[in-house]
Every structure is written in structure tokens, then in C-alpha cells.
Amino acid sequence: MSNPLSRRKFLAATGAVAAFAAVPPRRAFATPSSSTFLVGDLPPATDKPSGRIVDMHVHFDEKNPNFIADLLKIGERLNLTACVLTPYLNRKVVADAAKQYPARIVPIGSVDLDAVDVVRQVEELHTLGYRGLGELEFVKKPFTDASYMPVYELANRYGWAVLFHTGIVLRQNFDEPEDVASYRMRAFHVEEIARRFPKIIALGAHCGNPEYEWAGEVARWNPNVFFDLSGSSLDKMHDHLVDFRKVFWWSGTRWGKKQPENDPNAFAKLVFGSDDGLEGIERVLVQYRALFEACDVPARTQKLILGGTLAKIFGLPE
Ligand SMILES: [Zn+2]
């Protein structure tokens, strides 16, 4: 949907940016007390990771006229493909860029599920070469409402990936009433959609924050469900990342169901998503790697999380 207030602008409006403006490139809303890594802690850019990184959660920034060029630069440096979550209004520029740079940009349409012509919008996005929908958020009804089913039916027919916001959602305006509520976007709604529409790859953003357990269990029983850990969770959990082993608990047991590449590690149900602007991608990569270390995620599984799983879904080169 068209988001009248970008995340960055939202933070600026609430003073969060101003409070930490003196310490870039640390992300504006990182807690200053946490020992958050700086981008400078990363290995030099020439040390490209061994595999392609695929970022499921990059919002198109209509305020940045150089967005595509900036994205291509980062993509080249990190060997990264971005799923660009594109408002309907910006659909053409991203569709064209994706045709020109198919290994760098996967076009994903960010429609408003409550728009009266949403089905027509989705059909048009398909014609333009879009590969999925998302981030679906700020919905007026729960994700499983009957009125949204025609959209999911189309996504199922197209075999699309659909990224759902899950969990706590930001408040765009503190002074005006707004018809937005997190409960409509709880992680367990993704379960019903994934089961009724088995050709959809259902991706939940933010791992259902704070209902990680529901996200984990829904991912465990549904081969077509994955979650990203973008948002505040990896900051919030910085000092006890090992707790995510309680959420992704079934490694090596008989309780993991149809894991990607038959990987027995439960963390293979995660995918990489940054959701922090282009300048935040490397910082979130560092956070994911801290999670891997804290939870002893094996290298093979790390590769799936950081790109292998999504590369296969979208047919990207290794
Ligand atoms: Zn979100």
C-alpha cells in the first residue's frame, strides 16, 4: 500500500533519528547501550560471501531518485539480490529495472489489500513481470478475511511469494485516529493462507514479533512458510540471541517437516530480510551472523538463510 510516511521519515518525526543522528552509520533506532556492530566491523568488501545473498525485505524508496543505482552498487559489492517491495504507484520503474538487472532485483508488488481494485492491480503486476506481493500490512481486517481470498487465489495461480507483515506494527501518526492493529497480522494467520493456497510461498516478516513461538511452529508444519527476522527483534534480543533455539528447536529431531534441501537444522525456516533502507542491509547482515554464532547455526544452513532458499524460489543463479 502507499505508505504516506516512510519509515525513516517516521523515525525523524518521532525524534528517534535526531536522538542518535551523531552516530551514523549505526542504525538510528538501535539501542545505544547494546554493543551493536558498526558497518566498519565487516570484512572488506572484496571478501565477497561465498554465495549469493537474497534480501527478502527491501522497500522501494520513492524519496531517493537514485534508489536503483544505489541498490545496484550495494548488490554488486555484497553479491546481493534484493526483493524490492514496490508500491503500486512505482510499479513501472521497478519492473523495468528488474528486466534489466534480473540477478539483482526481484520485483514484488506492495498492494493495499483493502483497495477496491486490488485484484486488477495484482493482475497488472503479473503482466509487468512481478514475482510476488508484499509487504502486505496495515490491513483493515485479519489477513484471513474472506474478502482477501481472491488476491491469494491469484497469487496461488501465479505461484508467487507473498510477504506478510507479522506482529507489532508501527504507529504512523501519534495524534490522529488510525484503523490499524497488530492482531490482524499475527503470525498464525499465515498458516491458513499457506494451507489453503499451497503454491504460495508465504513469508512472514519480523518473525511475528513478539510471538516468535507461533511463527516457529507455523513454519515447522508448513513447507511453504518462512520468516525473516527484520525489525527490532535482533536488537531487542541482542544479549540473549540463544533463546531463538527455543523457537527453532527441532533441529535433528523427527519433528522438522520438509525442510529446504532436507536440511535438518530448524533455522533453515528463516530467510534474510533487512527492512532498514539500503544503508541498513550490512548492519542487519551482521546481526544475522551474530544470531548464527549464538545459536550454532551450521554453515550450510547459514547459506540457505542468507540466500540459498530464496535463490531457489526465484530461480536466481547461485
Ligand atoms: Zn513489516
Side-chain angles (χ1 to χ4, degrees), residues 7 57 59 135 137 165-166 205-206 275:
R7 282 155 177 75
H57 204 137
H59 287 275
E135 184 182 10
E137 54 187 339
H165 172 95
T166 60
H206 323 301
D275 191 24

Side-chain angles (χ1 to χ4, degrees), residues 16-31:
V17 165
F20 302 117
V23 289
R26 185 179 292 198
R27 192 171 59 169
F29 45 88
T31 46

